[in-house]
Amino acid sequence: MPGELKTELKSKSRAEGKLVVLKLGGSVVTRKEKRMTPNLEAIKMLAQEVAQADVEYLIIVHGGGSFGHPLAEQYRIKEGFKERSQIEGFSKTHQAMLELNKLVVDALIQHNIAAFSVIPSSCIVTKAGRIESLDNCQIDMLLNMGLVPVLFGDAVLDEDQGFAILSGDQLVAVLARSFKASRIILGVDVDGLYTADPKAHSIAQPITHITLADLKSRISAIEQTRVTDVTGGMLGKILELMPAIGAGIPTMIVNAGKRGNLYKALKEQEVPGTLITKE
Amino acid sequence: MPGELKTELKSKSRAEGKLVVLKLGGSVVTRKEKRMTPNLEAIKMLAQEVAQADVEYLIIVHGGGSFGHPLAEQYRIKEGFKERSQIEGFSKTHQAMLELNKLVVDALIQHNIAAFSVIPSSCIVTKAGRIESLDNCQIDMLLNMGLVPVLFGDAVLDEDQGFAILSGDQLVAVLARSFKASRIILGVDVDGLYTADPKAHSIAQPITHITLADLKSRISAIEQTRVTDVTGGMLGKILELMPAIGAGIPTMIVNAGKRGNLYKALKEQEVPGTLITKE
């Protein structure tokens, strides 16, 4: 039994091709306009939908929203360690993210999902803000045990600049590629990509499907669809996800704030949003 | 500057010989008799005393008390992965510990200590319940940046048995040896070691100083001083700490529940308790 268990847990291939990497945007799980305020109704609804969809292998990554971003910005964590006064902010940003993560994981556990918090800053050191390896996070072992790893955008140590902000989007792309995910679902607070900013232009049309090549040529149009945040707005998200999409992992952007959308996306049912594929 | 910073952060020796490893027992930071109940007054008092003592290099490890232990016991996490029903408990035990850790770190931050949560299960995989390496936890980098890493007894993945309980005491001993600590302070809810169980025998005398050799010969007497918990009672603690004491790191056991004791111990002032030294 111990030998068998060991092989089983250390096996690298179990989730390959069956794994869904789900991002829950900070704008969905928090109230972005109010500092350190979770959107508890949304968190509960999303936990319900994840439970109902019952995906075999799932990794969840959530954003920072009004928890991580204001502190990260205030202390300029993204720029790296420049002066001692930032140390306090590095510690506070991490702590705020742990608080939000707790709320998300608690809700998942309440819906009988074997969610397990994996803390980025405890297993990842970036180099100039980029992930070099996920090996220490033991994601494989957790997936093989039937657990749902839950990570988040975090303030992390950085080899070159002392510390950095590791965005949830970068995590999603690297996780999806490293563990050969079948799909990425990006749950945001808009209905996907548009041909123009729908808030500014009434002629803006939703994009239901786009290839990577098309997307690249349209990218300047997307640039203006959302207000930027410290991890980049929608353009930042797309740029981070491109290597994963380029590796052949289809990415669905849905408005996870609207009831039922996340469930449908997880079940591969038709749902309003934008599907981005390699070809 | 980046080159310099890199050398500075990666330097292994900065805290060597100046580091204090402080354990805050679960019986001090929680109310052991009531499930999932923190002792917020004690946590606040301890944070105050840590702030006042202003130790140059400090690592804090706290226990589980009424947060981690009842769940770990209920789901028999210590025994390893035997059946699927334990998975839920593995996840809940970890989550409970994250909750307690948040309270401890929040209190430290409120007292202007640059505390930084380091989550054992995100950077340590044990082998049959024993730590094999702390390298992935980046303790050195945190200490060199002037941060106070805060760890805790946790439910962790285990190479041989799927999962295990990593006790705070094991962490303390391994941390102290790995980072060449100058001292260990063990904050518990009793006044140190006695010649017999003080609750059962009125002739019991407090032991103010004991050598490792003496301690070993007395160990059978200590065995009965406290009720056992899942990580072992006082005997378990002592056995875990022996390799560190044997490596020449003096260990002071104090009643951290009594105001002023922890401050005095951190400042190396006289304080009731038991000092254990190698010789």
Side-chain angles (χ1 to χ4, degrees):
Chain A
M1 173 66 182
E4 246 174 75
L5 177 65
K6 208 166 162 176
T7 318
E8 203 178 324
L9 295 176
K10 280 283 165 188
S11 141
K12 282 250 165 198
S13 55
R14 192 90 73 81
E16 267 183 26
K18 289 184 258 176
L19 172 69
V20 178
V21 178
L22 167 63
K23 168 84 194 286
L24 298 177
S27 54
V28 182
V29 294
T30 75
R31 300 196 186 278
K32 276 205 116 167
E33 67 287 359
K34 218 176 151 191
R35 221 169 153 136
M36 298 287 282
T37 310
N39 187 335
L40 292 175
E41 301 78 51
I43 291 172
K44 191 179 165 189
M45 177 185 83
L46 295 168
Q48 265 169 357
E49 296 187 27
V50 170
Q52 279 160 9
D54 196 21
V55 175
E56 193 178 359
Y57 294 102
L58 180 66
I59 298 175
I60 298 176
V61 178
H62 63 80
S66 62
F67 281 73
H69 289 177
L71 284 162
E73 237 169 309
Q74 183 186 336
Y75 290 93
R76 298 175 292 111
I77 304 303
K78 207 179 176 179
E79 296 170 24
F81 178 45
K82 302 224 161 124
E83 48 188 53
R84 297 226 65 79
S85 61
Q86 287 174 289
I87 292 287
E88 176 193 344
F90 177 57
S91 141
K92 284 183 177 170
T93 305
H94 176 48
Q95 198 62 10
M97 288 310 303
L98 283 169
E99 186 171 337
L100 178 57
N101 181 250
K102 181 182 152 33
L103 298 172
V104 173
V105 175
D106 277 351
L108 291 165
I109 290 177
Q110 270 159 30
H111 289 85
N112 297 315
I113 297 156
F116 198 84
S117 286
V118 175
I119 313 302
S121 63
S122 291
C123 59
I124 297 166
V125 175
T126 53
K127 192 173 164 66
R130 309 302 304 174
I131 296 173
E132 296 233 278
S133 160
L134 287 173
D135 289 355
N136 300 334
C137 299
Q138 312 301 335
I139 304 286
D140 269 320
M141 260 181 104
L142 292 169
L143 289 171
N144 286 350
M145 282 174 79
L147 288 150
V148 174
V150 183
L151 299 90
F152 50 88
D154 197 6
V156 299
L157 291 168
D158 187 281
E159 262 189 51
D160 288 350
Q161 57 185 60
F163 46 64
I165 292 295
L166 169 56
S167 77
D169 298 311
Q170 186 187 155
L171 262 174
V172 164
V174 179
L175 284 162
R177 290 190 71 178
S178 302
F179 301 105
K180 298 195 171 41
S182 63
R183 297 182 287 141
I184 292 170
I185 297 173
L186 207 60
V188 293
D189 65 341
V190 292
D191 296 329
L193 302 180
Y194 284 81
T195 52
D197 181 352
K199 289 177 186 167
H201 307 277
S202 59
I203 52 144
Q205 295 291 317
I207 299 171
T208 55
H209 180 210
I210 192 166
T211 64
L212 197 54
D214 277 357
L215 184 61
K216 282 178 182 168
S217 69
R218 273 178 186 274
I219 229 153
S220 61
I222 296 160
E223 197 158 6
Q224 283 124 30
T225 54
R226 297 292 295 161
V227 181
T228 52
D229 59 31
V230 288
T231 58
M234 194 63 108
L235 177 64
K237 288 184 201 309
I238 301 300
L239 290 175
E240 281 293 5
L241 289 167
M242 275 188 174
I245 302 164
I249 304 165
T251 297
M252 183 73 195
I253 306 177
V254 289
N255 190 334
K258 291 186 181 165
R259 186 175 298 276
N261 276 359
L262 177 60
Y263 172 82
K264 285 179 193 156
L266 287 167
K267 295 298 265 184
E268 294 186 87
Q269 293 175 5
E270 203 154 309
V271 57
T274 305
L275 176 66
I276 314 174
T277 54
K278 187 181 177 187
E279 270 147 13
Chain B
M1 171 68 183
E4 246 174 74
L5 177 65
K6 207 166 164 176
T7 318
E8 204 180 321
L9 295 175
K10 283 281 165 190
S11 140
K12 282 250 167 204
S13 54
R14 194 89 73 80
E16 267 183 27
K18 290 183 258 178
L19 173 69
V20 178
V21 178
L22 167 63
K23 169 85 192 288
L24 298 177
S27 56
V28 182
V29 293
T30 76
R31 299 196 187 277
K32 275 206 119 166
E33 67 288 358
K34 218 176 154 192
R35 220 167 154 140
M36 298 286 282
T37 309
N39 187 336
L40 292 175
E41 301 77 52
I43 291 172
K44 190 178 163 188
M45 177 184 83
L46 295 169
Q48 265 169 357
E49 296 186 26
V50 169
Q52 279 160 7
D54 195 22
V55 175
E56 194 178 359
Y57 294 102
L58 180 66
I59 298 175
I60 298 176
V61 177
H62 64 79
S66 61
F67 281 72
H69 289 177
L71 284 162
E73 237 169 312
Q74 182 186 337
Y75 290 93
R76 298 175 291 111
I77 303 304
K78 206 179 177 178
E79 297 170 23
F81 179 43
K82 303 223 161 124
E83 51 190 50
R84 297 225 63 81
S85 61
Q86 288 174 290
I87 292 286
E88 179 193 342
F90 177 57
S91 142
K92 283 184 178 170
T93 305
H94 177 47
Q95 199 61 10
M97 286 311 302
L98 282 170
E99 186 171 337
L100 178 58
N101 181 250
K102 183 185 150 30
L103 298 172
V104 173
V105 175
D106 277 351
L108 291 165
I109 290 177
Q110 270 159 31
H111 289 84
N112 297 316
I113 297 156
F116 198 84
S117 286
V118 174
I119 314 301
S121 64
S122 291
C123 60
I124 298 167
V125 175
T126 53
K127 192 175 165 66
R130 308 303 302 175
I131 296 173
E132 295 232 280
S133 160
L134 287 174
D135 288 354
N136 300 334
C137 298
Q138 310 303 334
I139 304 285
D140 269 320
M141 259 181 106
L142 292 169
L143 289 173
N144 286 350
M145 282 174 79
L147 288 150
V148 175
V150 183
L151 299 89
F152 50 88
D154 198 5
V156 299
L157 291 167
D158 187 283
E159 264 190 48
D160 288 350
Q161 58 185 59
F163 46 64
I165 291 296
L166 169 56
S167 76
D169 298 311
Q170 186 188 155
L171 262 174
V172 164
V174 179
L175 284 162
R177 290 191 69 179
S178 301
F179 300 105
K180 299 195 169 41
S182 63
R183 298 183 286 141
I184 292 170
I185 297 172
L186 207 61
V188 293
D189 66 340
V190 291
D191 295 329
L193 303 179
Y194 282 81
T195 52
D197 181 353
K199 288 177 187 169
H201 307 278
S202 59
I203 53 143
Q205 294 291 316
I207 299 171
T208 56
H209 180 212
I210 191 166
T211 64
L212 197 54
D214 276 357
L215 184 61
K216 282 178 182 168
S217 70
R218 272 176 186 276
I219 227 152
S220 60
I222 296 159
E223 198 157 7
Q224 283 125 29
T225 54
R226 297 291 294 160
V227 182
T228 52
D229 59 30
V230 289
T231 57
M234 195 63 108
L235 177 65
K237 287 185 203 306
I238 299 301
L239 289 176
E240 280 293 4
L241 289 169
M242 275 189 174
I245 302 164
I249 304 166
T251 295
M252 183 75 197
I253 306 177
V254 289
N255 190 333
K258 293 188 182 166
R259 185 175 299 272
N261 275 359
L262 177 60
Y263 172 81
K264 285 179 194 157
L266 286 167
K267 295 298 265 185
E268 296 186 85
Q269 294 175 4
E270 202 153 311
V271 57
T274 305
L275 176 66
I276 315 174
T277 54
K278 189 180 176 188
E279 270 146 14

PDB file of all heavy atoms in Angstrom, chain B residues 133-158:
ATOM      1  N   SER B 133      13.397  18.967   3.963  1.00  0.00           N
ATOM      2  CA  SER B 133      14.086  20.191   3.592  1.00  0.00           C
ATOM      3  C   SER B 133      13.195  21.405   3.813  1.00  0.00           C
ATOM      4  O   SER B 133      11.973  21.347   3.658  1.00  0.00           O
ATOM      5  CB  SER B 133      14.488  20.118   2.117  1.00  0.00           C
ATOM      6  OG  SER B 133      14.735  21.412   1.613  1.00  0.00           O
ATOM      7  N   LEU B 134      13.837  22.513   4.186  1.00  0.00           N
ATOM      8  CA  LEU B 134      13.129  23.786   4.357  1.00  0.00           C
ATOM      9  C   LEU B 134      13.510  24.761   3.248  1.00  0.00           C
ATOM     10  O   LEU B 134      13.123  25.916   3.275  1.00  0.00           O
ATOM     11  CB  LEU B 134      13.518  24.419   5.696  1.00  0.00           C
ATOM     12  CG  LEU B 134      12.968  23.808   6.965  1.00  0.00           C
ATOM     13  CD1 LEU B 134      13.603  24.493   8.163  1.00  0.00           C
ATOM     14  CD2 LEU B 134      11.454  23.998   7.024  1.00  0.00           C
ATOM     15  N   ASP B 135      14.301  24.268   2.296  1.00  0.00           N
ATOM     16  CA  ASP B 135      14.881  25.154   1.277  1.00  0.00           C
ATOM     17  C   ASP B 135      13.851  25.954   0.501  1.00  0.00           C
ATOM     18  O   ASP B 135      14.104  27.069   0.071  1.00  0.00           O
ATOM     19  CB  ASP B 135      15.714  24.348   0.270  1.00  0.00           C
ATOM     20  CG  ASP B 135      17.006  23.852   0.901  1.00  0.00           C
ATOM     21  OD1 ASP B 135      17.281  24.238   2.047  1.00  0.00           O
ATOM     22  OD2 ASP B 135      17.710  23.065   0.243  1.00  0.00           O
ATOM     23  N   ASN B 136      12.682  25.364   0.290  1.00  0.00           N
ATOM     24  CA  ASN B 136      11.700  26.043  -0.552  1.00  0.00           C
ATOM     25  C   ASN B 136      10.928  27.141   0.164  1.00  0.00           C
ATOM     26  O   ASN B 136      10.119  27.823  -0.448  1.00  0.00           O
ATOM     27  CB  ASN B 136      10.718  25.021  -1.126  1.00  0.00           C
ATOM     28  CG  ASN B 136      11.437  23.984  -1.957  1.00  0.00           C
ATOM     29  OD1 ASN B 136      12.499  24.261  -2.490  1.00  0.00           O
ATOM     30  ND2 ASN B 136      10.856  22.795  -2.055  1.00  0.00           N
ATOM     31  N   CYS B 137      11.133  27.274   1.478  1.00  0.00           N
ATOM     32  CA  CYS B 137      10.337  28.251   2.236  1.00  0.00           C
ATOM     33  C   CYS B 137      10.942  29.653   2.223  1.00  0.00           C
ATOM     34  O   CYS B 137      10.318  30.588   2.726  1.00  0.00           O
ATOM     35  CB  CYS B 137      10.143  27.774   3.670  1.00  0.00           C
ATOM     36  SG  CYS B 137       9.248  26.211   3.782  1.00  0.00           S
ATOM     37  N   GLN B 138      12.157  29.778   1.670  1.00  0.00           N
ATOM     38  CA  GLN B 138      12.762  31.109   1.485  1.00  0.00           C
ATOM     39  C   GLN B 138      12.888  31.903   2.779  1.00  0.00           C
ATOM     40  O   GLN B 138      12.775  33.133   2.790  1.00  0.00           O
ATOM     41  CB  GLN B 138      11.946  31.935   0.459  1.00  0.00           C
ATOM     42  CG  GLN B 138      11.647  31.215  -0.819  1.00  0.00           C
ATOM     43  CD  GLN B 138      12.890  30.714  -1.563  1.00  0.00           C
ATOM     44  OE1 GLN B 138      13.966  31.286  -1.405  1.00  0.00           O
ATOM     45  NE2 GLN B 138      12.770  29.653  -2.334  1.00  0.00           N
ATOM     46  N   ILE B 139      13.130  31.201   3.881  1.00  0.00           N
ATOM     47  CA  ILE B 139      13.264  31.857   5.184  1.00  0.00           C
ATOM     48  C   ILE B 139      14.439  32.848   5.180  1.00  0.00           C
ATOM     49  O   ILE B 139      14.337  33.951   5.720  1.00  0.00           O
ATOM     50  CB  ILE B 139      13.483  30.797   6.290  1.00  0.00           C
ATOM     51  CG1 ILE B 139      12.350  29.752   6.288  1.00  0.00           C
ATOM     52  CG2 ILE B 139      13.640  31.445   7.655  1.00  0.00           C
ATOM     53  CD1 ILE B 139      11.066  30.212   6.850  1.00  0.00           C
ATOM     54  N   ASP B 140      15.542  32.428   4.562  1.00  0.00           N
ATOM     55  CA  ASP B 140      16.729  33.288   4.494  1.00  0.00           C
ATOM     56  C   ASP B 140      16.435  34.638   3.871  1.00  0.00           C
ATOM     57  O   ASP B 140      16.813  35.681   4.406  1.00  0.00           O
ATOM     58  CB  ASP B 140      17.785  32.611   3.604  1.00  0.00           C
ATOM     59  CG  ASP B 140      18.713  31.748   4.411  1.00  0.00           C
ATOM     60  OD1 ASP B 140      19.097  32.168   5.508  1.00  0.00           O
ATOM     61  OD2 ASP B 140      19.041  30.646   3.937  1.00  0.00           O
ATOM     62  N   MET B 141      15.762  34.584   2.720  1.00  0.00           N
ATOM     63  CA  MET B 141      15.445  35.831   2.017  1.00  0.00           C
ATOM     64  C   MET B 141      14.569  36.729   2.879  1.00  0.00           C
ATOM     65  O   MET B 141      14.779  37.941   2.938  1.00  0.00           O
ATOM     66  CB  MET B 141      14.715  35.534   0.704  1.00  0.00           C
ATOM     67  CG  MET B 141      15.609  35.605  -0.515  1.00  0.00           C
ATOM     68  SD  MET B 141      14.653  35.260  -2.026  1.00  0.00           S
ATOM     69  CE  MET B 141      14.524  36.896  -2.750  1.00  0.00           C
ATOM     70  N   LEU B 142      13.585  36.122   3.543  1.00  0.00           N
ATOM     71  CA  LEU B 142      12.691  36.909   4.393  1.00  0.00           C
ATOM     72  C   LEU B 142      13.470  37.543   5.548  1.00  0.00           C
ATOM     73  O   LEU B 142      13.321  38.738   5.832  1.00  0.00           O
ATOM     74  CB  LEU B 142      11.549  36.038   4.921  1.00  0.00           C
ATOM     75  CG  LEU B 142      10.550  35.560   3.863  1.00  0.00           C
ATOM     76  CD1 LEU B 142       9.619  34.492   4.439  1.00  0.00           C
ATOM     77  CD2 LEU B 142       9.713  36.719   3.319  1.00  0.00           C
ATOM     78  N   LEU B 143      14.325  36.761   6.209  1.00  0.00           N
ATOM     79  CA  LEU B 143      15.111  37.293   7.333  1.00  0.00           C
ATOM     80  C   LEU B 143      16.034  38.409   6.852  1.00  0.00           C
ATOM     81  O   LEU B 143      16.152  39.454   7.499  1.00  0.00           O
ATOM     82  CB  LEU B 143      15.936  36.179   7.981  1.00  0.00           C
ATOM     83  CG  LEU B 143      15.173  35.127   8.789  1.00  0.00           C
ATOM     84  CD1 LEU B 143      16.118  34.004   9.210  1.00  0.00           C
ATOM     85  CD2 LEU B 143      14.504  35.741  10.019  1.00  0.00           C
ATOM     86  N   ASN B 144      16.663  38.202   5.713  1.00  0.00           N
ATOM     87  CA  ASN B 144      17.597  39.214   5.189  1.00  0.00           C
ATOM     88  C   ASN B 144      16.887  40.504   4.798  1.00  0.00           C
ATOM     89  O   ASN B 144      17.506  41.565   4.739  1.00  0.00           O
ATOM     90  CB  ASN B 144      18.374  38.655   3.996  1.00  0.00           C
ATOM     91  CG  ASN B 144      19.433  37.649   4.436  1.00  0.00           C
ATOM     92  OD1 ASN B 144      19.708  37.518   5.627  1.00  0.00           O
ATOM     93  ND2 ASN B 144      20.017  36.940   3.495  1.00  0.00           N
ATOM     94  N   MET B 145      15.583  40.403   4.506  1.00  0.00           N
ATOM     95  CA  MET B 145      14.820  41.612   4.185  1.00  0.00           C
ATOM     96  C   MET B 145      14.274  42.290   5.429  1.00  0.00           C
ATOM     97  O   MET B 145      13.584  43.301   5.345  1.00  0.00           O
ATOM     98  CB  MET B 145      13.652  41.277   3.253  1.00  0.00           C
ATOM     99  CG  MET B 145      14.101  41.091   1.819  1.00  0.00           C
ATOM    100  SD  MET B 145      12.725  40.539   0.800  1.00  0.00           S
ATOM    101  CE  MET B 145      11.902  42.088   0.552  1.00  0.00           C
ATOM    102  N   GLY B 146      14.532  41.698   6.595  1.00  0.00           N
ATOM    103  CA  GLY B 146      14.048  42.298   7.831  1.00  0.00           C
ATOM    104  C   GLY B 146      12.637  41.871   8.196  1.00  0.00           C
ATOM    105  O   GLY B 146      11.993  42.486   9.047  1.00  0.00           O
ATOM    106  N   LEU B 147      12.153  40.815   7.539  1.00  0.00           N
ATOM    107  CA  LEU B 147      10.814  40.328   7.863  1.00  0.00           C
ATOM    108  C   LEU B 147      10.889  39.254   8.961  1.00  0.00           C
ATOM    109  O   LEU B 147      11.939  38.657   9.192  1.00  0.00           O
ATOM    110  CB  LEU B 147      10.151  39.750   6.607  1.00  0.00           C
ATOM    111  CG  LEU B 147       9.737  40.809   5.579  1.00  0.00           C
ATOM    112  CD1 LEU B 147       9.794  40.273   4.162  1.00  0.00           C
ATOM    113  CD2 LEU B 147       8.324  41.321   5.864  1.00  0.00           C
ATOM    114  N   VAL B 148       9.776  39.046   9.622  1.00  0.00           N
ATOM    115  CA  VAL B 148       9.668  38.007  10.644  1.00  0.00           C
ATOM    116  C   VAL B 148       8.787  36.882  10.094  1.00  0.00           C
ATOM    117  O   VAL B 148       7.559  37.013  10.047  1.00  0.00           O
ATOM    118  CB  VAL B 148       9.056  38.571  11.946  1.00  0.00           C
ATOM    119  CG1 VAL B 148       8.816  37.469  12.971  1.00  0.00           C
ATOM    120  CG2 VAL B 148       9.946  39.664  12.528  1.00  0.00           C
ATOM    121  N   PRO B 149       9.391  35.788   9.628  1.00  0.00           N
ATOM    122  CA  PRO B 149       8.581  34.681   9.110  1.00  0.00           C
ATOM    123  C   PRO B 149       7.733  34.077  10.240  1.00  0.00           C
ATOM    124  O   PRO B 149       8.229  33.878  11.338  1.00  0.00           O
ATOM    125  CB  PRO B 149       9.626  33.663   8.626  1.00  0.00           C
ATOM    126  CG  PRO B 149      10.916  34.424   8.524  1.00  0.00           C
ATOM    127  CD  PRO B 149      10.828  35.509   9.543  1.00  0.00           C
ATOM    128  N   VAL B 150       6.470  33.841   9.942  1.00  0.00           N
ATOM    129  CA  VAL B 150       5.586  33.220  10.930  1.00  0.00           C
ATOM    130  C   VAL B 150       5.043  31.917  10.337  1.00  0.00           C
ATOM    131  O   VAL B 150       4.307  31.932   9.346  1.00  0.00           O
ATOM    132  CB  VAL B 150       4.415  34.152  11.313  1.00  0.00           C
ATOM    133  CG1 VAL B 150       3.543  33.504  12.392  1.00  0.00           C
ATOM    134  CG2 VAL B 150       4.933  35.499  11.803  1.00  0.00           C
ATOM    135  N   LEU B 151       5.445  30.798  10.925  1.00  0.00           N
ATOM    136  CA  LEU B 151       5.000  29.483  10.464  1.00  0.00           C
ATOM    137  C   LEU B 151       4.117  28.856  11.526  1.00  0.00           C
ATOM    138  O   LEU B 151       3.895  29.446  12.587  1.00  0.00           O
ATOM    139  CB  LEU B 151       6.208  28.580  10.184  1.00  0.00           C
ATOM    140  CG  LEU B 151       7.185  29.057   9.104  1.00  0.00           C
ATOM    141  CD1 LEU B 151       8.265  29.941   9.687  1.00  0.00           C
ATOM    142  CD2 LEU B 151       7.816  27.886   8.360  1.00  0.00           C
ATOM    143  N   PHE B 152       3.637  27.659  11.264  1.00  0.00           N
ATOM    144  CA  PHE B 152       2.749  27.001  12.235  1.00  0.00           C
ATOM    145  C   PHE B 152       2.694  25.504  11.959  1.00  0.00           C
ATOM    146  O   PHE B 152       3.048  25.052  10.866  1.00  0.00           O
ATOM    147  CB  PHE B 152       1.342  27.604  12.169  1.00  0.00           C
ATOM    148  CG  PHE B 152       0.782  27.686  10.765  1.00  0.00           C
ATOM    149  CD1 PHE B 152       0.090  26.623  10.215  1.00  0.00           C
ATOM    150  CD2 PHE B 152       0.971  28.834   9.998  1.00  0.00           C
ATOM    151  CE1 PHE B 152      -0.422  26.695   8.919  1.00  0.00           C
ATOM    152  CE2 PHE B 152       0.468  28.916   8.703  1.00  0.00           C
ATOM    153  CZ  PHE B 152      -0.231  27.850   8.163  1.00  0.00           C
ATOM    154  N   GLY B 153       2.255  24.775  12.958  1.00  0.00           N
ATOM    155  CA  GLY B 153       1.983  23.354  12.753  1.00  0.00           C
ATOM    156  C   GLY B 153       0.873  23.240  11.722  1.00  0.00           C
ATOM    157  O   GLY B 153      -0.115  23.961  11.800  1.00  0.00           O
ATOM    158  N   ASP B 154       1.041  22.348  10.745  1.00  0.00           N
ATOM    159  CA  ASP B 154       0.130  22.340   9.594  1.00  0.00           C
ATOM    160  C   ASP B 154      -0.126  20.897   9.139  1.00  0.00           C
ATOM    161  O   ASP B 154       0.626  19.976   9.456  1.00  0.00           O
ATOM    162  CB  ASP B 154       0.791  23.136   8.445  1.00  0.00           C
ATOM    163  CG  ASP B 154      -0.195  23.578   7.357  1.00  0.00           C
ATOM    164  OD1 ASP B 154      -1.414  23.364   7.505  1.00  0.00           O
ATOM    165  OD2 ASP B 154       0.280  24.146   6.351  1.00  0.00           O
ATOM    166  N   ALA B 155      -1.204  20.741   8.395  1.00  0.00           N
ATOM    167  CA  ALA B 155      -1.457  19.495   7.671  1.00  0.00           C
ATOM    168  C   ALA B 155      -0.690  19.609   6.363  1.00  0.00           C
ATOM    169  O   ALA B 155      -0.939  20.531   5.594  1.00  0.00           O
ATOM    170  CB  ALA B 155      -2.945  19.328   7.419  1.00  0.00           C
ATOM    171  N   VAL B 156       0.259  18.702   6.132  1.00  0.00           N
ATOM    172  CA  VAL B 156       1.132  18.813   4.954  1.00  0.00           C
ATOM    173  C   VAL B 156       1.071  17.554   4.103  1.00  0.00           C
ATOM    174  O   VAL B 156       0.645  16.495   4.566  1.00  0.00           O
ATOM    175  CB  VAL B 156       2.606  19.061   5.377  1.00  0.00           C
ATOM    176  CG1 VAL B 156       2.758  20.362   6.148  1.00  0.00           C
ATOM    177  CG2 VAL B 156       3.137  17.889   6.193  1.00  0.00           C
ATOM    178  N   LEU B 157       1.488  17.677   2.859  1.00  0.00           N
ATOM    179  CA  LEU B 157       1.611  16.511   1.987  1.00  0.00           C
ATOM    180  C   LEU B 157       2.813  15.690   2.445  1.00  0.00           C
ATOM    181  O   LEU B 157       3.792  16.241   2.940  1.00  0.00           O
ATOM    182  CB  LEU B 157       1.791  16.954   0.537  1.00  0.00           C
ATOM    183  CG  LEU B 157       0.548  17.600  -0.085  1.00  0.00           C
ATOM    184  CD1 LEU B 157       0.891  18.283  -1.389  1.00  0.00           C
ATOM    185  CD2 LEU B 157      -0.550  16.562  -0.299  1.00  0.00           C
ATOM    186  N   ASP B 158       2.701  14.388   2.275  1.00  0.00           N
ATOM    187  CA  ASP B 158       3.762  13.487   2.711  1.00  0.00           C
ATOM    188  C   ASP B 158       4.085  12.497   1.598  1.00  0.00           C
ATOM    189  O   ASP B 158       3.180  11.870   1.034  1.00  0.00           O
ATOM    190  CB  ASP B 158       3.321  12.748   3.976  1.00  0.00           C
ATOM    191  CG  ASP B 158       4.443  11.931   4.578  1.00  0.00           C
ATOM    192  OD1 ASP B 158       4.747  10.837   4.045  1.00  0.00           O
ATOM    193  OD2 ASP B 158       5.030  12.394   5.568  1.00  0.00           O
TER     194      ASP B 158
END
